[in-house]
Amino acid sequence: AQSVTQPDIHITVSEGASLELRCNYSYGATPYLFWYVQSPGQGLQLLLKYFSGDTLVQGIKGFEAEFKRSQSSFNLRKPSVHWSDAAEYFCAVSSYGQNFVFGPGTRLSVLP
Amino acid sequence: DGGITQSPKYLFRKEGQNVTLSCEQNLNHDAMYWYRQDPGQGLRLIYYSQIVNDFQKGDIAEGYSVSREKKESFPLTVTSAQKNPTAFYLCAGMRRSYGYTFGSGTRLTVV
């Protein structure tokens, strides 16, 4: 069965600092991988996705993620965090675009 | 603009009442989903539908019902059998080549 872990429940960074949110998955084949962001009281917005090809994918809002098959990871990164990035971030995995499994989420706080 | 529209944004339910949450889409997605979100528990799948007039139970379907009479609409009814309905409910449409598009959610509170 597919599963997704996000080891960090809550991360706090200072504005302008770099960010890396971790995501590990368990899946037998090459998965479809996604990162979503959720602001308080809102729905989830797609940041980026990986289906195949270049393992470094660029997303919206200056985010990128790297697929590492050997580590079963799909970590999300941003070189310089803005206060508006404070939100909850969800990693998700699916098999060929079906049967999505979401991670538990990582809450990001940004210090001024 | 295309999207998923959920209404109302806030809903209050008295004990023993059924309430219906609306979800409409104009993205032409075949597949639609309902998730429940509680603090610290991520997203849990309630029901999903891959075609009109067909739907499947998710992980926490007890106390909920859905219908899919037309492609654009996937309403969720929270019945009186759902003992702890206070939560944030998210509807989503899905296309394999893109992933999910979520609505902005409905917050249901029991009063």
Side-chain angles (χ1 to χ4, degrees):
Chain A
Q2 301 169 150
S3 66
V4 178
T5 56
Q6 293 179 247
D8 304 303
I9 295 174
H10 183 205
I11 285 182
T12 300
V13 299
S14 296
E15 191 168 19
S18 64
L19 172 70
E20 183 169 30
L21 301 181
R22 296 182 291 165
C23 172
N24 293 96
Y25 66 90
S26 172
Y27 184 63
T30 300
Y32 288 13
L33 294 159
F34 305 80
W35 274 101
Y36 291 86
V37 61
Q38 183 182 33
S39 297
Q42 298 297 315
L44 280 69
Q45 180 184 21
L46 180 66
L47 282 176
L48 48 79
K49 60 184 183 289
Y50 171 80
F51 290 170
S52 64
D54 192 345
T55 57
L56 183 64
V57 293
Q58 302 297 322
I60 62 171
K61 305 185 180 188
F63 285 92
E64 67 178 26
E66 186 171 12
F67 170 55
K68 293 186 177 180
R69 184 190 303 274
S70 62
Q71 299 177 18
S72 297
S73 69
F74 189 56
N75 294 347
L76 182 71
R77 301 193 294 247
K78 187 170 185 179
S80 178
V81 170
H82 188 263
W83 64 266
S84 61
D85 293 324
E88 186 116 22
Y89 291 81
F90 292 91
C91 181
V93 62
S94 80
S95 57
Y96 303 109
Q98 297 188 91
N99 303 324
F100 272 67
V101 175
F102 285 87
T106 297
R107 183 162 62 94
L108 174 66
S109 297
V110 180
L111 298 175
Chain B
D1 289 339
I4 306 289
T5 301
Q6 290 187 243
S7 62
K9 189 167 180 65
Y10 300 96
L11 186 58
F12 298 90
R13 191 193 95 166
K14 293 182 179 180
E15 295 282 352
Q17 270 186 340
N18 292 353
V19 292
T20 297
L21 285 60
S22 170
C23 178
E24 303 283 330
Q25 60 117 347
N26 59 5
L27 298 169
N28 203 34
H29 286 333
D30 287 317
M32 297 187 74
Y33 296 75
W34 274 105
Y35 284 90
R36 170 177 172 147
Q37 190 175 28
D38 296 280
Q41 293 198 41
L43 285 81
R44 293 186 289 170
L45 181 62
I46 305 172
Y47 267 99
Y48 64 99
S49 168
Q50 295 187 320
I51 56 172
V52 175
N53 292 321
D54 186 59
F55 46 83
Q56 305 295 328
K57 293 181 178 180
D59 301 320
I60 57 164
E62 184 175 352
Y64 300 97
S65 66
V66 294
S67 63
R68 187 85 186 276
E69 296 178 359
K70 53 182 182 176
K71 192 174 188 178
E72 298 80 13
S73 180
F74 191 42
L76 173 73
T77 297
V78 184
T79 74
S80 57
Q82 171 51 240
K83 297 306 178 188
N84 184 23
T86 295
F88 190 56
Y89 291 87
L90 286 163
C91 179
M94 198 271 282
R95 179 178 297 155
R96 293 189 190 185
S97 60
Y98 180 79
Y100 281 99
T101 299
F102 283 88
S104 57
T106 293
R107 185 164 299 280
L108 174 62
T109 303
V110 174
V111 296

